[in-house]
Amino acid sequence: MIQALQLLLSLMILIVLHEMGHFIPAKLFKTRVEKFYLFFDPWFALFKVKRGETEYGIGWLPLGGYVKIAGMIDESMDKEQMKQAPQPWEFRSKPAWQRLIIMLGGVTVNLLLGIFIYWMVLLAWGKQTLPLENVQYGVACDSLALKMGLKDGDKILSVDNKYVEGINRVPLTIILDQAKSIQVERDGQKIDIPVKEENISEMMSAQKTFVTPRYPCYVDSVDPKMPAFAAGLKKGDHIIAMNGVETPFYNDVVRNAQANKNKTVELRLVRGKDTTSLNTTISKDGLIGFIVDADMERFFKIRKIDYSFFGALPAAVAEGWEKIVMQVKTFSVIFSVKGAHKSLGGFYSIAKAYAPVWDWQVFWTFTAFLSIVLAFMNLLPIPALDGGHVMFLLYEMVTRRKPNEKAMEYAQYAGMLLLLALMLYANTDWLRR
């Protein structure tokens, strides 16, 4: 529920400001805006009010929003209006350069908004990175990483013999650069782990972590409803073994707990300067019933950069540019790697990217990312998107001839059908997983 609410708030912010990007230049150029809606309103609206010539409202279908500009072929497909003689206040009566500015307004706002949010996030929280060389305990691998040939404890050195800025960027680098190998240090030796094309598509589709830093298992808090609480497990306990099997790291504890579902186990732990043991029952889900102390600064040397007000701006621009490049590479992967299209996700996948608790840093960082993505996607030359309108306008400006209105109408239908099909496919991702 918290993740869904965060997604809804992000969408509301991004949609309203995107549509404002069209609304404001339209008003400046004295173009009539008939409707301004947050979310779509087929058949009825949750709320609407008319102020001047514009009806403002909130629809019930949270798949986007729109402004209906008079004299424009858009998603409203208002054919009757287009049959009338052009009026001076209509979009089609304005010079091409004004129409181009109106159409680029939403994309421009989303791009600038993304950079602005990154600017504020960097100013407020700075930037933290865990460099590969500081992951002194090596990595913990999920099932896909193990299948590829990685092992728990491997120290990742590079991807395709190129340095990666931080441990959290390794999976993304493998996917976007369509990597062929990963270099790791294992038992003091450098080893090449090959990456196959099928591994990349699996990484895109998998709802897993791939690799995470290994760290010791210290208890942060214990669920009072679980047997471990009654058994005496306490905050600060360092779990080092389970049923006589050493568990030096948190992932070892998790793996052993999963292997002992519904069983009573002996936990050996260090409490203060003493070593002690206790018996507890593992739940049917393989849980002991505690939250681990995952404070990375306790276990690793984190590289942190704090920014001044003006120093954060170029860093924010760099973040925005990086996300645009990332989108271009993502498209390349989807169209060139077999099976990668299966990774397309909808609102469910997006919501899962937010923190399960309300975390403003995560919220604003991801909202900035979505704003950049929305700018990029809307600029694609697909009819029904802003980029489709821009494509026709550029054609008109170059050839000095307006595109045939009937052709634009059919293109709008085709674009809408394509987008609906893509949205339907993306939002059934939870069925494909």
Side-chain angles (χ1 to χ4, degrees), residues 15 25 29 49 59 73 85 110 114 133 141 154 157 202 207 244 253 256 273 298 315 351-352 368 385 404 421 427 433:
I15 291 167
F29 295 134
V49 62
I73 298 175
N110 280 130
E133 60 269 23
C141 303
D154 282 350
L157 305 174
E202 287 173 332
Q207 295 289 300
V253 174
N256 278 275
K273 295 181 179 180
R298 175 176 181 175
K352 294 293 285 183
L385 292 178
N404 181 276
N427 282 286
R433 297 189 189 283

PDB file of all heavy atoms in Angstrom, residues 15 25 29 49 59 73 85 110 114 133 141 154 157 202 207 244 253 256 273 298 315 351-352 368 385 404 421 427 433:
ATOM      1  N   ILE A  15       2.347  14.199 -13.907  1.00  0.00           N
ATOM      2  CA  ILE A  15       1.302  14.437 -14.902  1.00  0.00           C
ATOM      3  C   ILE A  15       0.864  15.901 -14.892  1.00  0.00           C
ATOM      4  O   ILE A  15       0.768  16.536 -15.949  1.00  0.00           O
ATOM      5  CB  ILE A  15       0.098  13.509 -14.656  1.00  0.00           C
ATOM      6  CG1 ILE A  15       0.476  12.056 -14.970  1.00  0.00           C
ATOM      7  CG2 ILE A  15      -1.099  13.925 -15.505  1.00  0.00           C
ATOM      8  CD1 ILE A  15      -0.537  11.033 -14.475  1.00  0.00           C
ATOM      9  N   PRO A  25       2.424  27.582 -22.375  1.00  0.00           N
ATOM     10  CA  PRO A  25       2.714  28.203 -23.671  1.00  0.00           C
ATOM     11  C   PRO A  25       1.466  28.360 -24.540  1.00  0.00           C
ATOM     12  O   PRO A  25       1.368  29.319 -25.314  1.00  0.00           O
ATOM     13  CB  PRO A  25       3.727  27.258 -24.312  1.00  0.00           C
ATOM     14  CG  PRO A  25       3.633  25.984 -23.572  1.00  0.00           C
ATOM     15  CD  PRO A  25       3.187  26.323 -22.205  1.00  0.00           C
ATOM     16  N   PHE A  29       0.377  31.987 -26.077  1.00  0.00           N
ATOM     17  CA  PHE A  29       0.155  32.227 -27.499  1.00  0.00           C
ATOM     18  C   PHE A  29      -1.331  32.398 -27.818  1.00  0.00           C
ATOM     19  O   PHE A  29      -1.738  32.309 -28.970  1.00  0.00           O
ATOM     20  CB  PHE A  29       0.741  31.074 -28.333  1.00  0.00           C
ATOM     21  CG  PHE A  29       2.234  30.956 -28.235  1.00  0.00           C
ATOM     22  CD1 PHE A  29       2.829  29.721 -28.037  1.00  0.00           C
ATOM     23  CD2 PHE A  29       3.044  32.082 -28.322  1.00  0.00           C
ATOM     24  CE1 PHE A  29       4.214  29.606 -27.957  1.00  0.00           C
ATOM     25  CE2 PHE A  29       4.425  31.971 -28.232  1.00  0.00           C
ATOM     26  CZ  PHE A  29       5.011  30.731 -28.044  1.00  0.00           C
ATOM     27  N   VAL A  49     -14.571  21.417 -12.664  1.00  0.00           N
ATOM     28  CA  VAL A  49     -15.032  22.780 -12.448  1.00  0.00           C
ATOM     29  C   VAL A  49     -14.567  23.627 -13.618  1.00  0.00           C
ATOM     30  O   VAL A  49     -13.473  23.411 -14.152  1.00  0.00           O
ATOM     31  CB  VAL A  49     -14.489  23.342 -11.106  1.00  0.00           C
ATOM     32  CG1 VAL A  49     -12.962  23.407 -11.105  1.00  0.00           C
ATOM     33  CG2 VAL A  49     -15.070  24.727 -10.817  1.00  0.00           C
ATOM     34  N   GLY A  59      -9.915  12.775 -13.444  1.00  0.00           N
ATOM     35  CA  GLY A  59     -10.552  11.575 -13.968  1.00  0.00           C
ATOM     36  C   GLY A  59     -10.400  10.406 -13.008  1.00  0.00           C
ATOM     37  O   GLY A  59      -9.731  10.503 -11.981  1.00  0.00           O
ATOM     38  N   ILE A  73      -5.631  17.881 -33.429  1.00  0.00           N
ATOM     39  CA  ILE A  73      -5.936  16.456 -33.520  1.00  0.00           C
ATOM     40  C   ILE A  73      -5.192  15.755 -32.396  1.00  0.00           C
ATOM     41  O   ILE A  73      -3.961  15.641 -32.420  1.00  0.00           O
ATOM     42  CB  ILE A  73      -5.527  15.886 -34.889  1.00  0.00           C
ATOM     43  CG1 ILE A  73      -6.313  16.562 -36.013  1.00  0.00           C
ATOM     44  CG2 ILE A  73      -5.746  14.379 -34.927  1.00  0.00           C
ATOM     45  CD1 ILE A  73      -5.889  16.153 -37.402  1.00  0.00           C
ATOM     46  N   ALA A  85     -14.453  25.810 -39.806  1.00  0.00           N
ATOM     47  CA  ALA A  85     -13.403  26.707 -40.302  1.00  0.00           C
ATOM     48  C   ALA A  85     -12.465  27.068 -39.154  1.00  0.00           C
ATOM     49  O   ALA A  85     -12.921  27.290 -38.020  1.00  0.00           O
ATOM     50  CB  ALA A  85     -14.029  27.963 -40.893  1.00  0.00           C
ATOM     51  N   ASN A 110       9.272  18.082 -17.921  1.00  0.00           N
ATOM     52  CA  ASN A 110       9.692  16.838 -17.270  1.00  0.00           C
ATOM     53  C   ASN A 110      11.210  16.717 -17.208  1.00  0.00           C
ATOM     54  O   ASN A 110      11.762  16.239 -16.207  1.00  0.00           O
ATOM     55  CB  ASN A 110       9.107  15.631 -18.001  1.00  0.00           C
ATOM     56  CG  ASN A 110       7.662  15.372 -17.636  1.00  0.00           C
ATOM     57  OD1 ASN A 110       6.816  15.206 -18.497  1.00  0.00           O
ATOM     58  ND2 ASN A 110       7.346  15.360 -16.347  1.00  0.00           N
ATOM     59  N   GLY A 114      13.096  16.755 -13.634  1.00  0.00           N
ATOM     60  CA  GLY A 114      13.981  15.668 -13.213  1.00  0.00           C
ATOM     61  C   GLY A 114      15.320  16.184 -12.739  1.00  0.00           C
ATOM     62  O   GLY A 114      15.832  15.767 -11.690  1.00  0.00           O
ATOM     63  N   GLU A 133      36.155  -2.039  -4.664  1.00  0.00           N
ATOM     64  CA  GLU A 133      37.336  -2.410  -3.876  1.00  0.00           C
ATOM     65  C   GLU A 133      37.065  -2.400  -2.377  1.00  0.00           C
ATOM     66  O   GLU A 133      37.855  -2.948  -1.590  1.00  0.00           O
ATOM     67  CB  GLU A 133      38.517  -1.484  -4.203  1.00  0.00           C
ATOM     68  CG  GLU A 133      38.278  -0.003  -3.925  1.00  0.00           C
ATOM     69  CD  GLU A 133      37.709   0.754  -5.111  1.00  0.00           C
ATOM     70  OE1 GLU A 133      37.091   0.098  -6.008  1.00  0.00           O
ATOM     71  OE2 GLU A 133      37.855   1.980  -5.148  1.00  0.00           O
ATOM     72  N   CYS A 141      25.378 -14.103  -3.659  1.00  0.00           N
ATOM     73  CA  CYS A 141      24.795 -14.307  -4.988  1.00  0.00           C
ATOM     74  C   CYS A 141      23.377 -14.853  -4.895  1.00  0.00           C
ATOM     75  O   CYS A 141      23.092 -15.705  -4.051  1.00  0.00           O
ATOM     76  CB  CYS A 141      25.642 -15.288  -5.797  1.00  0.00           C
ATOM     77  SG  CYS A 141      27.372 -14.808  -5.987  1.00  0.00           S
ATOM     78  N   ASP A 154      32.946 -14.115  -3.888  1.00  0.00           N
ATOM     79  CA  ASP A 154      33.695 -13.530  -5.007  1.00  0.00           C
ATOM     80  C   ASP A 154      33.786 -12.020  -4.827  1.00  0.00           C
ATOM     81  O   ASP A 154      32.820 -11.371  -4.414  1.00  0.00           O
ATOM     82  CB  ASP A 154      32.992 -13.820  -6.334  1.00  0.00           C
ATOM     83  CG  ASP A 154      33.230 -15.244  -6.829  1.00  0.00           C
ATOM     84  OD1 ASP A 154      34.084 -15.934  -6.241  1.00  0.00           O
ATOM     85  OD2 ASP A 154      32.556 -15.651  -7.801  1.00  0.00           O
ATOM     86  N   LEU A 157      35.717  -7.380  -9.689  1.00  0.00           N
ATOM     87  CA  LEU A 157      36.769  -6.413 -10.045  1.00  0.00           C
ATOM     88  C   LEU A 157      36.322  -5.471 -11.158  1.00  0.00           C
ATOM     89  O   LEU A 157      36.630  -4.272 -11.122  1.00  0.00           O
ATOM     90  CB  LEU A 157      38.039  -7.154 -10.479  1.00  0.00           C
ATOM     91  CG  LEU A 157      38.614  -8.172  -9.484  1.00  0.00           C
ATOM     92  CD1 LEU A 157      39.778  -8.929 -10.119  1.00  0.00           C
ATOM     93  CD2 LEU A 157      39.057  -7.473  -8.203  1.00  0.00           C
ATOM     94  N   GLU A 202      17.468 -12.838 -18.674  1.00  0.00           N
ATOM     95  CA  GLU A 202      17.035 -13.356 -17.370  1.00  0.00           C
ATOM     96  C   GLU A 202      17.236 -12.310 -16.278  1.00  0.00           C
ATOM     97  O   GLU A 202      16.399 -12.167 -15.380  1.00  0.00           O
ATOM     98  CB  GLU A 202      17.815 -14.619 -17.025  1.00  0.00           C
ATOM     99  CG  GLU A 202      17.409 -15.841 -17.833  1.00  0.00           C
ATOM    100  CD  GLU A 202      18.317 -17.040 -17.590  1.00  0.00           C
ATOM    101  OE1 GLU A 202      19.501 -16.844 -17.249  1.00  0.00           O
ATOM    102  OE2 GLU A 202      17.841 -18.173 -17.741  1.00  0.00           O
ATOM    103  N   GLN A 207      13.101 -10.724 -10.634  1.00  0.00           N
ATOM    104  CA  GLN A 207      12.808  -9.791  -9.547  1.00  0.00           C
ATOM    105  C   GLN A 207      13.723 -10.112  -8.364  1.00  0.00           C
ATOM    106  O   GLN A 207      13.270 -10.381  -7.256  1.00  0.00           O
ATOM    107  CB  GLN A 207      11.342  -9.911  -9.150  1.00  0.00           C
ATOM    108  CG  GLN A 207      10.383  -9.498 -10.244  1.00  0.00           C
ATOM    109  CD  GLN A 207      10.393  -8.013 -10.481  1.00  0.00           C
ATOM    110  OE1 GLN A 207      10.103  -7.223  -9.576  1.00  0.00           O
ATOM    111  NE2 GLN A 207      10.744  -7.602 -11.678  1.00  0.00           N
ATOM    112  N   GLY A 244      25.224 -25.731  14.523  1.00  0.00           N
ATOM    113  CA  GLY A 244      26.621 -26.116  14.388  1.00  0.00           C
ATOM    114  C   GLY A 244      27.261 -25.740  13.067  1.00  0.00           C
ATOM    115  O   GLY A 244      28.470 -25.927  12.876  1.00  0.00           O
ATOM    116  N   VAL A 253      22.936 -16.943   7.113  1.00  0.00           N
ATOM    117  CA  VAL A 253      21.840 -17.123   8.076  1.00  0.00           C
ATOM    118  C   VAL A 253      20.526 -17.326   7.332  1.00  0.00           C
ATOM    119  O   VAL A 253      19.739 -18.227   7.656  1.00  0.00           O
ATOM    120  CB  VAL A 253      21.750 -15.903   9.020  1.00  0.00           C
ATOM    121  CG1 VAL A 253      20.514 -16.016   9.930  1.00  0.00           C
ATOM    122  CG2 VAL A 253      23.014 -15.766   9.862  1.00  0.00           C
ATOM    123  N   ASN A 256      20.389 -20.828   5.615  1.00  0.00           N
ATOM    124  CA  ASN A 256      20.195 -21.904   6.582  1.00  0.00           C
ATOM    125  C   ASN A 256      18.795 -21.881   7.190  1.00  0.00           C
ATOM    126  O   ASN A 256      18.209 -22.933   7.458  1.00  0.00           O
ATOM    127  CB  ASN A 256      21.250 -21.829   7.691  1.00  0.00           C
ATOM    128  CG  ASN A 256      22.566 -22.465   7.275  1.00  0.00           C
ATOM    129  OD1 ASN A 256      22.759 -23.665   7.395  1.00  0.00           O
ATOM    130  ND2 ASN A 256      23.474 -21.646   6.749  1.00  0.00           N
ATOM    131  N   LYS A 273      30.813  -9.425  24.955  1.00  0.00           N
ATOM    132  CA  LYS A 273      32.075 -10.165  24.869  1.00  0.00           C
ATOM    133  C   LYS A 273      31.890 -11.664  25.055  1.00  0.00           C
ATOM    134  O   LYS A 273      32.858 -12.426  25.010  1.00  0.00           O
ATOM    135  CB  LYS A 273      33.043  -9.627  25.934  1.00  0.00           C
ATOM    136  CG  LYS A 273      33.458  -8.179  25.721  1.00  0.00           C
ATOM    137  CD  LYS A 273      34.440  -7.722  26.798  1.00  0.00           C
ATOM    138  CE  LYS A 273      34.873  -6.270  26.573  1.00  0.00           C
ATOM    139  NZ  LYS A 273      35.824  -5.818  27.619  1.00  0.00           N
ATOM    140  N   ARG A 298      28.558   0.773   8.819  1.00  0.00           N
ATOM    141  CA  ARG A 298      29.124   0.026   9.939  1.00  0.00           C
ATOM    142  C   ARG A 298      30.133  -1.005   9.438  1.00  0.00           C
ATOM    143  O   ARG A 298      31.112  -1.304  10.122  1.00  0.00           O
ATOM    144  CB  ARG A 298      28.002  -0.671  10.712  1.00  0.00           C
ATOM    145  CG  ARG A 298      28.488  -1.570  11.836  1.00  0.00           C
ATOM    146  CD  ARG A 298      27.335  -2.139  12.614  1.00  0.00           C
ATOM    147  NE  ARG A 298      27.808  -2.989  13.715  1.00  0.00           N
ATOM    148  CZ  ARG A 298      27.014  -3.548  14.617  1.00  0.00           C
ATOM    149  NH1 ARG A 298      25.711  -3.334  14.573  1.00  0.00           N
ATOM    150  NH2 ARG A 298      27.510  -4.308  15.577  1.00  0.00           N
ATOM    151  N   ALA A 315      26.224  18.253 -11.159  1.00  0.00           N
ATOM    152  CA  ALA A 315      26.086  16.822 -10.843  1.00  0.00           C
ATOM    153  C   ALA A 315      24.678  16.336 -11.181  1.00  0.00           C
ATOM    154  O   ALA A 315      24.491  15.205 -11.653  1.00  0.00           O
ATOM    155  CB  ALA A 315      26.390  16.583  -9.366  1.00  0.00           C
ATOM    156  N   ALA A 351       5.849   0.298  -9.045  1.00  0.00           N
ATOM    157  CA  ALA A 351       5.549   0.464  -7.612  1.00  0.00           C
ATOM    158  C   ALA A 351       6.531  -0.312  -6.747  1.00  0.00           C
ATOM    159  O   ALA A 351       6.940   0.153  -5.675  1.00  0.00           O
ATOM    160  CB  ALA A 351       4.115   0.024  -7.316  1.00  0.00           C
ATOM    161  N   LYS A 352       6.942  -1.512  -7.215  1.00  0.00           N
ATOM    162  CA  LYS A 352       7.870  -2.329  -6.430  1.00  0.00           C
ATOM    163  C   LYS A 352       9.243  -1.695  -6.318  1.00  0.00           C
ATOM    164  O   LYS A 352      10.040  -2.091  -5.465  1.00  0.00           O
ATOM    165  CB  LYS A 352       8.000  -3.714  -7.071  1.00  0.00           C
ATOM    166  CG  LYS A 352       6.728  -4.547  -7.033  1.00  0.00           C
ATOM    167  CD  LYS A 352       6.322  -4.960  -5.643  1.00  0.00           C
ATOM    168  CE  LYS A 352       7.191  -6.062  -5.105  1.00  0.00           C
ATOM    169  NZ  LYS A 352       6.755  -6.513  -3.766  1.00  0.00           N
ATOM    170  N   ALA A 368      12.415  11.679  -9.752  1.00  0.00           N
ATOM    171  CA  ALA A 368      13.279  12.348 -10.730  1.00  0.00           C
ATOM    172  C   ALA A 368      13.563  11.434 -11.906  1.00  0.00           C
ATOM    173  O   ALA A 368      13.515  11.847 -13.074  1.00  0.00           O
ATOM    174  CB  ALA A 368      14.583  12.780 -10.063  1.00  0.00           C
ATOM    175  N   LEU A 385       1.731  10.440 -29.082  1.00  0.00           N
ATOM    176  CA  LEU A 385       2.663  10.999 -28.113  1.00  0.00           C
ATOM    177  C   LEU A 385       3.096  12.386 -28.591  1.00  0.00           C
ATOM    178  O   LEU A 385       2.951  12.737 -29.763  1.00  0.00           O
ATOM    179  CB  LEU A 385       3.900  10.110 -27.963  1.00  0.00           C
ATOM    180  CG  LEU A 385       3.703   8.732 -27.318  1.00  0.00           C
ATOM    181  CD1 LEU A 385       5.022   7.973 -27.303  1.00  0.00           C
ATOM    182  CD2 LEU A 385       3.160   8.867 -25.904  1.00  0.00           C
ATOM    183  N   ASN A 404      -1.586  16.170 -44.337  1.00  0.00           N
ATOM    184  CA  ASN A 404      -3.001  15.932 -44.572  1.00  0.00           C
ATOM    185  C   ASN A 404      -3.695  15.588 -43.247  1.00  0.00           C
ATOM    186  O   ASN A 404      -3.246  14.711 -42.508  1.00  0.00           O
ATOM    187  CB  ASN A 404      -3.161  14.776 -45.565  1.00  0.00           C
ATOM    188  CG  ASN A 404      -4.622  14.488 -45.874  1.00  0.00           C
ATOM    189  OD1 ASN A 404      -5.283  13.768 -45.133  1.00  0.00           O
ATOM    190  ND2 ASN A 404      -5.105  15.055 -46.963  1.00  0.00           N
ATOM    191  N   ALA A 421      -1.862  -1.287 -26.721  1.00  0.00           N
ATOM    192  CA  ALA A 421      -1.347  -2.660 -26.764  1.00  0.00           C
ATOM    193  C   ALA A 421      -0.098  -2.792 -25.897  1.00  0.00           C
ATOM    194  O   ALA A 421       0.045  -3.765 -25.137  1.00  0.00           O
ATOM    195  CB  ALA A 421      -1.034  -3.054 -28.208  1.00  0.00           C
ATOM    196  N   ASN A 427       1.497  -4.087 -18.448  1.00  0.00           N
ATOM    197  CA  ASN A 427       0.806  -4.202 -17.172  1.00  0.00           C
ATOM    198  C   ASN A 427       0.272  -5.589 -16.870  1.00  0.00           C
ATOM    199  O   ASN A 427      -0.444  -5.781 -15.889  1.00  0.00           O
ATOM    200  CB  ASN A 427      -0.325  -3.155 -17.100  1.00  0.00           C
ATOM    201  CG  ASN A 427       0.204  -1.776 -16.790  1.00  0.00           C
ATOM    202  OD1 ASN A 427       0.597  -1.485 -15.665  1.00  0.00           O
ATOM    203  ND2 ASN A 427       0.253  -0.925 -17.802  1.00  0.00           N
ATOM    204  N   ARG A 433       5.554 -13.397 -14.826  1.00  0.00           N
ATOM    205  CA  ARG A 433       6.671 -13.695 -13.930  1.00  0.00           C
ATOM    206  C   ARG A 433       6.399 -15.000 -13.179  1.00  0.00           C
ATOM    207  O   ARG A 433       5.331 -15.277 -12.761  1.00  0.00           O
ATOM    208  CB  ARG A 433       6.920 -12.553 -12.949  1.00  0.00           C
ATOM    209  CG  ARG A 433       7.319 -11.266 -13.690  1.00  0.00           C
ATOM    210  CD  ARG A 433       7.776 -10.202 -12.732  1.00  0.00           C
ATOM    211  NE  ARG A 433       7.960  -8.928 -13.395  1.00  0.00           N
ATOM    212  CZ  ARG A 433       8.959  -8.608 -14.145  1.00  0.00           C
ATOM    213  NH1 ARG A 433       9.916  -9.454 -14.364  1.00  0.00           N
ATOM    214  NH2 ARG A 433       9.040  -7.397 -14.705  1.00  0.00           N
TER     215      ARG A 433
END
